[in-house]
Amino acid sequence: MRTGLQGKTALVTGASRGIGKAIATALAAEGANVVLSSRKQEALDEAAKEIAQAYPDAGVLAKAAHVGDADQAAACVDAAVAEFGGLDVLVNNAGTNPYYGPMADIEAAAAAKTVEVNQFAVITWTKHALRASLAERGGAIINIASVGGLITEHGIGYYNATKAAVIHLSRQFAMELAPKVRVNCIAPGLVKTHLARALWEPHEAEISKATPLGRLGEPEDIASAAVFLAGDAASWMTGQTLVVDGGATIRPSLA
């Protein structure tokens, strides 16, 4: 698969672990410079060191930023441009889920936090990336949503509502930013990450058995999809949501 990512620069939010770290690693493996962002600089530095050691030809920059803080987002984007001369790929990956339970019982503070990180941050980081580089250079934006944005589930309904919003934001941005910037979305199924641990860890064998491809997702499964969407092989693709879920959403109904 041709990617054309050699020498390009990609910024990944929520990149200190899990899906974000896997995406940054996979992009570096394709020769891209990668900018890793998350809240904690120490964790970022550790992730960046691992990537730089594995792929010494790729430039790696770790820049802490709270994903919901517009000023910190702007500073992170500016640091990427200063370090590498521009920005070609933005991956809006950071997410949170501070509440589990019936949607009608969520408190306003938890709802606001979920929207700030999962939904509005997509707009904030996209805005700053466009102003700093992407609008002029062109490039690709990849938003990480969830299959939860396409279905209903117990316990995480409000989280899923914000992910449904991410799917629509991706379509809207794709329409507004074409033809210079492509915007696509990945909707992962249940992936073995720290954020989703409470969902999979107690029932991994049972969930895996019920999944058509027989296992839960790994962060690298999502990273492979991100490399495809960021690269030249997806050059005629925008406004789409790529579901990567091991076939979970094609399971037959029990009814």
Side-chain angles (χ1 to χ4, degrees), residues 51-127:
I51 295 172
Q53 289 177 340
Y55 303 103
D57 292 336
V60 183
L61 174 66
K63 176 69 173 175
H66 188 294
V67 72
D69 187 303
D71 291 338
Q72 292 184 34
C76 186
V77 170
D78 288 345
V81 173
E83 181 75 12
F84 298 116
L87 187 63
D88 304 286
V89 178
L90 171 65
V91 182
N92 286 306
N93 165 72
T96 192
N97 185 29
Y99 173 77
Y100 184 90
M103 196 159 61
D105 292 340
I106 191 170
E107 298 291 338
K113 179 69 172 179
T114 311
V115 170
E116 176 189 65
V117 173
N118 294 357
Q119 182 177 334
F120 196 71
V122 170
I123 298 174
T124 299
W125 286 76
T126 296
K127 174 176 65 177

Side-chain angles (χ1 to χ4, degrees), residues 125-140:
W125 286 76
T126 296
K127 174 176 65 177
H128 289 297
L130 288 168
R131 290 178 177 176
S133 181
L134 272 178
E136 179 181 354
R137 289 164 66 104

Side-chain angles (χ1 to χ4, degrees), residues 2 7 18 25 29-30 35 41 86 120 127 132 142 151 181 191 219 225 235 246 248:
R2 71 189 193 280
T25 302
E30 293 296 321
V35 181
Q41 188 66 49
F120 196 71
K127 174 176 65 177
I142 302 164
I151 62 175
V181 179
V191 177
S235 63

